[in-house]
Structure formats: C-alpha cells, structure tokens
C-alpha cells in the first residue's frame, strides 16, 4: 500500500532512471552532447534557436511515446494478473 500512497502524493516517478557510469546509455548521452556542441559551433544564432525548437519537439515526442509505452505495459501487467487469478476450476 505504500507505493499507492507515494503515487498519490506524487513521489513515484516511473520515468526517472539512474544512468550508470560507462553504461550504453551514459556513452550514448555523452555522444549526443558532443555532437550537439559540434553542430552548434557551426551555426548562427537563428539556426541555434531553430535547432533548440527541434530538440524540444523531439523531447516532447519521446515523452509521449514513453508515456504510451508505460500505459501499455501497465495494462498488460494487469491483464496478466487477472488471468493468473482467474481459475476455471
């Protein structure tokens, strides 16, 4: 029951994860940052602003996709629990 209370009070954030040092996620994040900096170094002020808007839109799309994936996974988990509890006996 503690998890339900924590969820109610906004203390559960299933989308937040720790990234371990030298993991694939860590390496990819560092690569993205390097490419971002290199690309910005070649841009003028207007291009940097447009690129920022592009990244914001990509981030928003990723968040929506992650939310939909979470909902689908949660629903699948509930269906599995219902099936596990249902007996034909």
């Amino acid at each position: 029951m503690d998890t339900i209370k924590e969820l109610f009070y906004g203390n559960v954030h299933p989308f937040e994860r720790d990234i371990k040092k030298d993991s694939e996620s860590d390496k990819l994040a560092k690569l993205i940052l390097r490419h971002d900096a290199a690309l910005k170094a070649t841009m003028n002020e207007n291009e940097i602003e447009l690129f920022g808007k592009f990244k914001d839109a990509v981030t928003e799309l990723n968040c929506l996709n992650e939310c939909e994936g979470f909902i689908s996974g949660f629903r699948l988990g509930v269906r599995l629990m219902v099936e596990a509890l249902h007996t034909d006996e």
Side-chain angles (χ1 to χ4, degrees):
M1 283 300 235
D2 289 337
T3 303
I4 295 171
K5 284 182 183 177
E6 293 298 314
L7 181 62
F8 176 80
Y9 289 112
N11 297 327
V12 175
H13 308 284
F15 50 87
E16 291 182 354
R17 298 180 286 285
D18 290 332
I19 296 178
K20 295 180 182 177
K21 186 175 180 166
D22 296 324
S23 68
E24 285 297 311
S25 294
D26 183 46
K27 291 174 186 175
L28 188 56
K30 288 175 180 174
L31 179 65
I32 290 169
L33 289 174
R34 279 196 311 272
H35 289 316
D36 181 78
L39 187 57
K40 282 182 180 176
T42 68
M43 298 175 161
N44 65 39
E45 196 172 306
N46 290 335
E47 292 168 332
I48 290 172
E49 183 180 342
L50 183 60
F51 184 55
K53 290 178 182 180
F54 169 79
K55 291 191 309 179
D56 290 344
V58 169
T59 298
E60 190 173 339
L61 178 61
N62 286 339
C63 288
L64 288 173
N65 287 334
E66 192 165 328
C67 180
E68 289 173 9
F70 174 79
I71 291 169
S72 294
F74 188 86
R75 287 179 177 157
L76 176 60
V78 170
R79 283 196 306 267
L80 290 170
M81 286 188 288
V82 168
E83 285 183 27
L85 295 173
H86 184 278
T87 60
D88 292 333
E89 301 165 9

